[in-house]
Amino acid sequence: QEGMPQTLSSTSMFTPCGFSPHLHTSKEDEQGGLIFQDGNLTSASLDALIQHLIPTTDYYPEKAYIFTFLLSSRLFIEPHELLSRVCHKCIEQQRLDDPVLDKARIRKFGPKILQLLTEWTETFPYDFQEERMIGHLKDMIHRIAPCDEAYWKKMNQLLQTLNQKLASLSHGQEGIVKISAAVSDKLVAFKSKPPSIQREILSVCSDPYTLAQQLTHVELERLSHIGPEEFVQAFVHKDPLDGTKTCFSEQKKTSNLEAYVKWFNRLCYLVATEICMPAKKKQRAQVIEFFIDVARECFNIGNFNSLMAIISGMNMSPVSRLKKTWSKVKTAKFFILEHQMDPTGNFYNYRTALRGAAHRSLTAHSNREKIVIPFFSLLIKDIYFLNEGCANRLPNGHVNFEKFLELAKQVGEFITWKQVECPFEEDPNIIHYLHTAPIFTEDGLYLASYESESPENHTEKDTWKSLR
């Protein structure tokens, strides 16, 4: 929880942007170019927002403000430019260029600027993969360090922590990339049923509880690599006030987010593959029942992303058309799960369950109760609609801060969830299987499905013919 916006335990889920600054009846107050509404900052010029971020001897911005502004400012200004402006203003305001420094004053200011830089590096470590960022950081500390020896130590600690964090993130990323590369060659290979040497899931793990726990491992591992800024960078457009260049959307820094969506798709296809593979109806029914139990346990754990992937896999047409197989399955449990993830009413049932899990997580005593793994593509969709639904800037050129508070609430909640340590013991064998077991393409699934239960009607017969 350290270093995270504390005010962001969101109880209200996504609310579309119905708020226009003109609808409020209460009076607006302005302080230094910041517009407040009922005590909440609603809009301001970019300059005023940057000024509001900068600590002084007797002022330090609120945690929630720091998070919201660092998250959303990248839509208007690149992080290195923002840090450069922050440092520049500090140098001016604290007269850090004077030949003789006012030591007493800087000792009041020093801990505050160090705190701001620490929060920035802890929450948005990927920003500091840029040399320029580290340059500004060091320059700032070199200027205040003559006033207090302790500042050197602070800087070294900060850089050490940052390097460790970046190293472990990139190490994890490389692992995921390696796996993905190894896997993608294998995937497409299976257009028809592979030879019987194919191991199947039940030979690797026959206990649904264990599999649900290992899936939770994979999910939390992958979530831990996603930087909060990736949610914003996924939607970077040109900033209207800066017609010359797009805000660094050339290098969309969203690779972890994309890798996570790929994992979801892989899990869908893996479930469908495992069900379509066995030659005997009885075995196929057994695999379906196994996955229903795994899904149910994912629900109990709070792992909604794996749950949704499993249900999606079972609902793919090559699987759902296996009527004879399904007739052997006790489907009551499956319908309960499907009902939980039913998209009706903008996923009303799922959102209720998610709120329940989020609430449990807030009052949790153990890591086990803290787990909340949201259905990820819906989270992205919510953030996308929030982003599309309201302008980043108001007609007067001000930044629409009200929108970014809502954005920060959703992303901040997600960050709290992704920091949970996985309480289950890792089983490398099962995790390796989940990442590398060969899966069918869509055509391969249909072929396997028709071989298991022959085509029912003309459409299916034609599909089968064209596939063969």
Side-chain angles (χ1 to χ4, degrees):
Q1 197 54 26
E2 215 3 61
M4 272 330 302
Q6 287 133 346
T7 49
L8 296 176
S9 60
S10 143
T11 39
S12 74
M13 276 304 288
F14 176 64
T15 41
C17 279
F19 43 71
S20 131
H22 315 295
L23 298 178
H24 293 296
T25 46
S26 61
K27 67 179 189 0
E28 293 189 347
D29 311 309
E30 186 167 354
Q31 311 166 6
L34 304 170
I35 309 291
F36 288 86
Q37 195 89 52
D38 303 328
N40 296 319
L41 177 56
T42 53
S43 73
S45 69
L46 186 58
D47 284 341
L49 290 170
I50 294 173
Q51 186 57 58
H52 196 54
L53 180 70
I54 294 171
T56 64
T57 50
D58 48 13
Y59 162 76
Y60 189 75
E62 286 178 21
K63 242 185 166 57
Y65 176 76
I66 296 172
F67 177 67
T68 304
F69 185 58
L70 290 181
L71 178 70
S72 55
S73 59
R74 60 199 69 240
L75 289 168
F76 308 99
I77 178 173
E78 291 188 44
H80 73 88
E81 213 176 314
L82 175 62
L83 185 54
S84 163
R85 283 175 67 174
V86 167
C87 292
H88 206 81
K89 286 197 160 167
C90 287
I91 291 166
E92 250 173 51
Q93 288 164 15
Q94 303 303 325
R95 297 200 289 280
L96 298 177
D97 268 344
D98 287 6
V100 180
L101 295 176
D102 177 348
K103 285 193 175 180
R105 175 190 176 137
I106 289 170
R107 280 198 195 104
K108 277 188 192 156
F109 165 75
K112 295 201 170 88
I113 187 68
L114 280 166
Q115 173 65 23
L116 181 70
L117 295 171
T118 304
E119 282 188 49
W120 194 334
T121 56
E122 279 173 356
T123 317
F124 298 95
Y126 289 124
D127 285 354
F128 292 85
Q129 282 172 319
E130 266 199 79
E131 277 304 302
R132 286 181 285 192
M133 291 291 283
I134 300 283
H136 294 314
L137 190 121
K138 285 182 173 169
D139 175 61
M140 191 68 235
I141 294 170
H142 279 265
R143 287 171 185 275
I144 60 173
C147 299
D148 192 333
E149 281 296 299
Y151 294 161
W152 291 115
K153 205 166 136 194
K154 259 293 210 297
M155 173 172 84
N156 284 329
Q157 263 172 339
L158 188 151
L159 290 173
Q160 222 176 336
T161 312
L162 178 64
N163 282 332
Q164 281 166 346
K165 195 157 188 177
L166 285 172
S168 79
L169 287 169
S170 77
H171 175 72
Q173 268 175 313
E174 277 160 26
I176 286 173
V177 171
K178 262 199 214 98
I179 286 174
S180 306
V183 171
S184 55
D185 308 333
K186 273 194 208 160
L187 302 195
V188 229
F190 290 135
K191 272 275 165 64
S192 63
K193 271 202 178 179
S196 56
I197 50 168
Q198 158 82 355
R199 281 203 305 173
E200 82 288 5
I201 188 78
L202 287 170
S203 68
V204 181
C205 174
S206 58
D207 174 42
Y209 289 92
T210 307
L211 189 61
Q213 293 179 355
Q214 297 310 305
L215 285 168
T216 304
H217 244 294
V218 175
E219 298 280 352
L220 286 171
E221 161 70 18
R222 284 175 171 255
L223 280 185
S224 70
H225 299 298
I226 298 173
E229 70 284 355
E230 294 192 42
F231 290 102
V232 174
Q233 277 155 198
F235 309 122
V236 168
H237 298 305
K238 271 197 168 133
D239 182 16
L241 292 194
D242 182 13
T244 51
K245 59 180 198 307
T246 56
C247 288
F248 66 126
S249 56
E250 296 80 40
Q251 57 204 61
K252 280 259 186 75
K253 301 175 181 165
T254 53
S255 53
N256 300 297
L257 198 134
E258 287 160 27
Y260 190 49
V261 173
K262 279 194 185 125
W263 150 253
F264 177 90
N265 294 336
R266 170 171 170 80
L267 184 53
C268 294
Y269 274 87
L270 181 64
V271 168
T273 301
E274 295 284 350
I275 294 170
C276 292
M277 192 89 72
K280 294 196 169 65
K281 180 167 63 190
K282 193 178 154 190
Q283 286 172 299
R284 291 194 298 273
Q286 191 191 355
V287 177
I288 292 178
E289 293 198 326
F290 173 72
F291 275 119
I292 292 172
D293 288 338
V294 174
R296 202 162 74 155
E297 186 52 21
C298 286
F299 180 83
N300 294 337
I301 289 173
N303 177 357
F304 297 106
N305 202 50
S306 293
L307 164 66
M308 197 60 174
I310 294 171
I311 291 175
S312 306
M314 290 180 164
N315 279 329
M316 285 172 85
S317 8
V319 178
S320 60
R321 66 168 291 279
L322 298 170
K323 307 257 180 340
K324 293 172 187 150
T325 304
W326 280 95
S327 70
K328 298 256 174 261
V329 174
K330 304 185 192 72
T331 46
K333 286 193 284 192
F334 181 60
F335 294 139
I336 292 170
L337 289 172
E338 260 200 321
H339 178 66
Q340 280 296 346
M341 301 312 270
D342 180 5
T344 317
N346 193 7
F347 287 91
Y348 180 81
N349 296 346
Y350 158 68
R351 291 182 191 277
T352 308
L354 180 70
R355 271 202 298 274
H359 187 74
R360 170 183 77 179
S361 173
L362 286 175
T363 54
H365 298 300
S366 68
N367 272 346
R368 168 101 207 214
E369 295 170 330
K370 278 190 192 144
I371 298 172
V372 184
I373 300 169
F375 169 30
F376 194 64
S377 47
L378 188 61
L379 177 69
I380 292 180
K381 201 169 120 187
D382 285 348
I383 289 174
Y384 176 78
F385 281 121
L386 169 62
N387 192 58
E388 290 296 299
C390 356
N392 290 337
R393 290 194 189 259
L394 303 174
N396 65 1
H398 271 195
V399 171
N400 180 1
F401 203 71
E402 200 169 0
K403 164 180 176 174
F404 295 122
L405 283 168
E406 181 59 37
L407 183 69
K409 189 165 83 180
Q410 295 192 28
V411 176
E413 187 171 38
F414 168 79
I415 294 186
T416 312
W417 296 337
K418 85 177 185 113
Q419 288 173 328
V420 175
E421 290 278 320
C422 190
F424 309 118
E425 204 172 323
E426 191 175 342
D427 183 324
N429 198 13
I430 299 175
I431 288 182
H432 182 74
Y433 184 86
L434 289 170
H435 280 124
T436 58
I439 54 178
F440 284 132
T441 58
E442 197 167 355
D443 288 354
L445 282 173
Y446 273 112
L447 272 170
S449 177
Y450 293 139
E451 275 173 46
S452 297
E453 295 185 20
S454 46
E456 298 266 300
N457 51 38
H458 287 306
T459 326
E460 290 196 344
K461 279 177 187 150
D462 292 344
T463 313
W464 197 21
K465 257 202 209 106
S466 69
L467 287 175
R468 284 187 305 182

